[in-house]
Amino acid sequence: MADVVVVGAGNAAFAAAVAAAEQGARVTVLERAPEPLSGGNTRFTAGAMRFAYDGVDDLRRLMPDLTDEEVAATDFGAYPQARFFEDMGRVTDYRTDPDLCETLVTGSRPTMLWMAGKGHRFAPIWGRQAFKVGGRFKFWGGLTVEAVGGGPGLVEAWTKIAAREGIEVLYGARAVSLIAGDAGVTGVRIKQAGRTREIAAGAVVLAAGGFQANTEWRTRYLGPGWDTAKVRGSRFNTGDGLRMALEIGAMSTGQWSGCHAVGWERNAPEFGDLAVGDGFQKHSYPFGVMLNARGERFVDEGADFRNYTYAKYGREILKQPRQFAWQVFDAKVRHLLRDEYRIKQVTKVTAETLEELCAKLEDVDAAAALATLRAYNAAVRTDVAFDPNVKDGRRTEGLAVPKSNWANRLDEPPFEAYAVTCGITFTFGGLRIDATGQVLDVDLAPIGGLYAAGEMVGGLFYENYPGGTGLMAGAVFGRLAGTNAGKMATSL
Ligand SMILES: Cc1cc2nc3c(=O)[nH]c(=O)nc-3n(C[C@H](O)[C@H](O)[C@H](O)COP(=O)(O)OP(=O)(O)OC[C@H]3O[C@@H](n4cnc5c(N)ncnc54)[C@H](O)[C@@H]3O)c2cc1C
């Protein structure tokens, strides 16, 4: 018997478990994966977390190790709550649930400070979210901080904190169904080492991730073609938590046909590989162009900063013939390419001329590709200055598929190209929760003793997503659910 059982052992689950323990609850965490593969998608991340801050003083409160020299060499800017709201609205076409969004935005900074108070450490993401121009780094995308040690560091820190708080973690323990009666949920049925048993609980928090690793559900809900998408992260997020809740009458909400999906190494394995982490992603396309099998461009690579387009461009790649694209760059922008372009596991070609490069692009109509690149080069507005730190308006003129910012001619050899396909990160559809994190049933009544957090919460994201929001949402809603589950279970 536990006061609170938490299903999952990613960021949302640990935030819930620690918050429940804070209420005096005895907490058991169930992790389906064996310990070496535990930690869900969270472990695959870079640990980047988006939160509202009003200036460098807020950052210094979170990261007391920041030195005066570092502060002097960096323009951290500010990311006020109003901008976070605006970003969530803009990228989701204003479909984000306003109440959930408000909980996320207003809870973001307090939750970061809460995590730091529990023992998490954070650092600025100079490497990926700031470019050095005129001797000074400038953060450009509202995403400034990552957990020290990235996703693996985040999971390791949570595991230590949980142990310190007396939280029990069972590995290889798969929750298979909820035990529920008229009064609500009273426990979980689990399967561990081939044995099925029941664990009674005062409250259950579901934080078992989305259904992105379930081929059949991907095809059923996201549509044709998604069966062959690569899964970027954990193979254990197959929708178990969603299924268990729906089986007892929980209400679904959010965009069940939508997901976060990115450009991902074409020859990556079927599921994420913890040794490579997020290295298979290829996110520097705003500084180049993307070509499909017909040799055509198909998106505005410079429509916005990478943080606001990358999560929807995986879907665009999936729609292309044979579901792949080549990202093409020249030597001018090579220094701007993210570190993931320099790993061993890339499908890459290089050439001294565009003709030679196009001939090397496997599965691509080379003549059409060359014509596209030439037309693109001719359309670049070279009279506008290039600046990677702002939306510089250096664009193409007259192309059917424009490039709106950071358009440079491809004219400095060596040229290089990287093959990508669609990598799915997590699904957007989920459960409907109330302001306390409690799951609602199909009549919109709270299901006694049942809470949800993380990827399982529906209604926040539609079509797109601002980078770094998944971990933040997991922490905010995990803490909310855990606090209320803990209160409920200890008052029984
Ligand atoms: C490669 C990659 C990079 C990313 N980078 C970032 C980033 O930098 N910043 C960011 O904000 N987001 C990032 N994301 C998204 C982020 O990982 C997720 O939004 C976030 O981790 C979700 O947290 P969660 O706790 O809901 O799910 P998860 O961390 O996936 O945890 C789900 C847990 O549930 C367990 N589970 C599943 N089924 C069961 C069951 N039946 N019984 C028991 N346990 C079960 C899983 O094993 C896992 O432990 C990235 C994702 C990937 C894949």
Side-chain angles (χ1 to χ4, degrees):
M1 166 84 191
D3 292 323
V4 175
V5 166
V6 178
V7 181
N11 179 57
F14 273 120
V18 171
E22 230 174 24
Q23 300 302 317
R26 287 165 302 150
V27 183
T28 297
V29 167
L30 303 176
E31 166 60 301
R32 176 178 171 183
E35 190 166 0
L37 301 177
S38 67
N41 264 357
T42 301
R43 186 143 167 195
F44 286 85
T45 70
M49 296 182 74
R50 176 175 296 258
F51 67 101
Y53 63 94
D54 290 324
V56 73
D57 290 343
D58 283 347
L59 297 179
R60 292 195 104 157
R61 270 187 278 281
L62 185 70
M63 299 174 288
D65 296 345
L66 267 186
T67 64
D68 292 342
E69 293 73 37
E70 286 168 337
V71 169
T74 311
D75 177 1
F76 287 106
Y79 190 59
Q81 289 190 1
R83 263 190 65 203
F84 198 169
F85 271 116
E86 171 51 24
D87 283 341
M88 283 292 292
R90 184 169 52 86
V91 306
T92 63
D93 201 17
Y94 297 93
R95 286 181 194 273
T96 183
D97 178 296
D99 295 329
L100 291 180
C101 187
E102 181 166 352
T103 302
L104 166 68
V105 170
T106 57
S108 62
R109 188 156 63 91
T111 302
M112 292 295 281
L113 291 169
W114 175 74
M115 287 175 69
K118 294 288 174 194
H120 285 286
R121 289 182 53 234
F122 299 101
I125 321 175
W126 279 295
R128 289 179 165 195
Q129 293 287 327
F131 294 109
K132 202 172 191 178
V133 173
R136 206 154 177 251
F137 282 102
K138 179 179 164 64
F139 280 87
W140 40 261
L143 180 52
T144 310
V145 164
E146 66 190 352
V148 169
L154 188 60
V155 172
E156 195 185 320
W158 273 130
T159 308
K160 276 193 191 141
I161 295 163
R164 191 189 65 209
E165 304 290 329
I167 293 165
E168 174 187 43
V169 182
L170 303 180
Y171 292 98
R174 180 179 186 180
V176 288
S177 56
L178 294 166
I179 304 162
D182 290 343
V185 170
T186 54
V188 189
R189 209 164 279 114
I190 75 162
K191 193 159 183 187
Q192 191 181 22
R195 268 191 55 232
T196 303
R197 66 186 167 103
E198 294 185 354
I199 301 182
V204 173
V205 180
L206 295 173
F211 61 83
Q212 59 275 5
N214 182 331
T215 310
E216 197 258 349
W217 276 35
R218 275 205 311 276
T219 318
R220 188 192 310 186
Y221 294 110
L222 305 181
W226 285 97
D227 36 4
T228 45
K230 310 253 185 199
V231 176
R232 295 178 66 203
S234 169
R235 66 183 163 86
F236 297 98
N237 292 3
T238 56
D240 275 3
L242 296 167
R243 176 187 49 74
M244 287 189 279
L246 295 176
E247 275 169 4
I248 64 156
M251 188 171 193
S252 60
T253 192
Q255 194 190 23
W256 276 70
S257 62
C259 66
H260 181 304
V262 309
W264 190 249
E265 160 58 36
R266 190 179 179 195
N267 293 305
E270 181 184 4
F271 299 108
D273 175 351
L274 281 170
V276 180
D278 67 0
F280 288 126
Q281 67 199 11
K282 295 288 166 278
H283 287 174
S284 295
Y285 56 83
F287 303 124
V289 298
M290 287 199 275
L291 299 176
N292 66 14
R294 288 192 291 262
E296 295 164 349
R297 290 178 53 248
F298 53 94
V299 288
D300 179 347
E301 300 89 348
D304 203 333
F305 288 114
R306 162 268 177 203
N307 289 352
Y308 304 109
T309 57
Y310 79 112
K312 64 178 180 179
Y313 279 179
R315 175 181 286 265
E316 296 308 316
I317 294 168
L318 187 97
K319 285 185 200 158
Q320 303 311 308
R322 299 185 58 192
Q323 304 184 333
F324 74 89
W326 284 91
Q327 298 181 354
V328 182
F329 306 96
D330 77 352
K332 267 200 302 303
V333 295
R334 199 161 191 280
H335 66 288
L336 294 175
L337 299 190
R338 294 160 58 105
D339 49 8
E340 68 235 20
Y341 286 80
R342 289 180 283 278
I343 67 170
K344 277 200 317 277
Q345 302 89 337
V346 287
T347 305
K348 172 184 177 183
V349 294
T350 55
E352 287 301 315
T353 65
L354 288 180
E355 288 85 339
E356 193 194 333
L357 187 86
C358 290
K360 286 184 175 176
L361 300 180
E362 197 177 349
D363 298 329
V364 172
D365 179 333
L370 187 60
T372 300
L373 296 182
R374 285 190 172 143
Y376 166 81
N377 275 350
V380 171
R381 284 280 305 269
T382 50
D383 56 319
V384 183
F386 172 78
D387 183 347
N389 277 330
V390 295
K391 285 203 252 177
D392 61 5
R394 185 175 159 108
R395 61 188 184 277
T396 58
E397 209 75 76
L399 295 181
V401 180
K403 184 169 178 191
S404 303
N405 294 286
W406 313 295
N408 280 317
R409 283 186 181 150
L410 293 154
D411 57 6
E412 267 187 47
F415 302 100
E416 48 191 53
Y418 297 80
V420 292
T421 185
C422 171
I424 181 169
T425 319
F426 67 94
T427 45
F428 289 161
L431 304 177
R432 187 181 288 265
I433 59 166
D434 68 10
T436 68
Q438 201 164 357
V439 176
L440 301 181
D441 72 11
V442 286
D443 292 322
L444 294 181
I447 300 180
L450 188 64
Y451 296 80
E455 292 175 356
M456 290 190 56
V457 172
L460 263 178
F461 307 118
Y462 292 80
E463 305 294 345
N464 195 6
Y465 152 109
T469 314
L471 290 174
M472 195 68 255
V476 168
F477 289 99
R479 183 184 180 203
L480 178 76
T483 302
N484 290 309
K487 278 187 186 151
M488 196 217 118
T490 53
S491 69
L492 288 175

